Amino acid sequence: MFSNASTFIPVLLRGLETTVQVFILGAIFAYLIAFIAGIGRTSKIGIIRFISTVFVELFRGTSLLVQMFFFVYALPLIFPGLAMSTFFAGALALGLNYGAYASEVVRGAIQSIAHSQTEAAISLNMSKWQRMRLVILPQAVRLMLPGFGNNAIELLKGTSLVSIITLSDMTFRASLLRSSNTSLASQVEIFTYLLILYFLLALPLIFLARWLEKRASKGVSTA
C-alpha cells in the first residue's frame, strides 16, 4: 500500500514552508492578543473590560473557518481598503481565534496572584503599570506557560484549515494529490503521510509543553 512515498512525500513537503510560516505568524498574533485581551479583562476600567470581553466571546463563539472566509472575502467588500492576502488573512484569523482562548490563560494566571502581592507593591508606592510589569506579570507568566504550550499545539493543528481558503499548505497539497490519485490505497497513503508530517511538526511543541508544565509546577510547589 505504501509504495508511493517517493512521489507523495515531496509534494506534501512543498507545503511545509507555508504551514510553518502561517503557524509562526499566527502564534505571534495569538500571544500578543492573549496578553492584551487577558490584561484588559482584569482591568478595573469598565469600558476596557467590556471591549475585551466582547472580543474574546466573539472569537471564541464563532467558527474559525467562517472567520477566515470573512477576512478573505467579506471584509474587503465592507472595507475595500482592508483587502489582504490569503496568507495574512489565514494567519490573522488563527491569531485572533487562538488568542481569544489564550487570553483566558492570561486572565486566570493574573487573577491567581495573591492580592497581598498587589498590596505590597502599593505600599512601595508603585503605579498600576509598575505593579503589573514588575510584580504581577513575572509571577503570572510562569503559570501561563503550560497553557501557552498547549495552545501552540492546537494552533498548529488549526493551520490545516487555511487549505480551505486555497493557501498552499500541506493539507492543500494533500487534497491536490487526492484529486489526481483516486484509488483508495493511494488516498489512504496520502493522508497517512500527512498525519505523520503534522505529528512530527507537533512533537517538539508537545515536548516543550510538557517541559514547561513541569517547570511551572515545580515553581508553584516551591513558592
Side-chain angles (χ1 to χ4, degrees):
M1 180 180 293
F2 298 98
S3 58
N4 296 303
S6 60
T7 301
F8 293 157
I9 292 178
V11 175
L12 295 174
L13 288 177
R14 289 178 199 148
L16 176 63
E17 182 178 358
T18 299
T19 295
V20 172
Q21 288 176 343
V22 170
F23 167 73
I24 292 174
L25 185 57
I28 292 171
F29 285 145
Y31 293 125
L32 284 174
I33 290 164
F35 275 100
I36 293 171
I39 293 173
R41 294 197 70 184
T42 66
S43 175
K44 294 183 178 180
I45 302 175
I47 186 63
I48 294 177
R49 194 167 59 251
F50 174 77
I51 292 172
S52 300
T53 300
V54 169
F55 165 80
V56 169
E57 298 307 327
L58 174 64
F59 282 94
R60 289 202 311 168
T62 55
S63 165
L64 173 56
L65 183 57
V66 174
Q67 291 165 19
M68 288 186 183
F69 279 126
F70 179 83
F71 287 127
V72 174
Y73 302 114
L75 192 62
L77 296 177
I78 302 171
F79 303 103
L82 293 180
M84 61 187 75
S85 67
T86 53
F87 173 83
F88 188 84
L92 180 60
L94 284 165
L96 290 170
N97 188 276
Y98 286 95
Y101 283 98
S103 70
E104 289 296 284
V105 176
V106 175
R107 182 177 69 91
I110 290 174
Q111 291 182 335
S112 70
I113 303 302
H115 187 64
S116 59
Q117 299 287 324
T118 301
E119 293 175 342
I122 292 174
S123 70
L124 294 174
N125 202 29
M126 288 185 176
S127 66
K128 290 182 179 179
W129 168 242
Q130 286 176 323
R131 295 198 297 270
M132 180 63 69
R133 181 171 62 90
L134 300 176
V135 178
I136 298 173
L137 276 182
Q139 298 178 74
V141 165
R142 181 188 61 193
L143 304 178
M144 298 174 198
L145 292 178
F148 277 1
N150 292 330
N151 189 264
I153 296 169
E154 293 298 320
L155 195 154
L156 175 63
K157 293 186 289 186
T159 60
S160 62
L161 289 178
V162 300
S163 62
I164 307 297
I165 57 173
T166 69
L167 203 58
S168 187
D169 70 328
M170 292 194 301
T171 302
F172 183 83
R173 296 283 180 174
S175 297
L176 292 179
L177 283 173
R178 182 183 62 83
S179 64
S180 59
N181 295 270
T182 57
S183 71
L184 179 60
S186 294
Q187 295 192 21
V188 170
E189 187 173 357
I190 290 165
F191 287 103
T192 298
Y193 294 144
L194 184 63
L195 281 172
I196 293 171
L197 287 173
Y198 272 110
F199 176 71
L200 291 176
L201 277 178
L203 201 57
L205 296 176
I206 293 171
F207 286 129
L208 178 61
R210 289 179 179 174
W211 179 78
L212 290 175
E213 186 172 356
K214 289 180 180 179
R215 182 180 178 87
S217 298
K218 181 179 179 181
V220 172
S221 65
T222 58

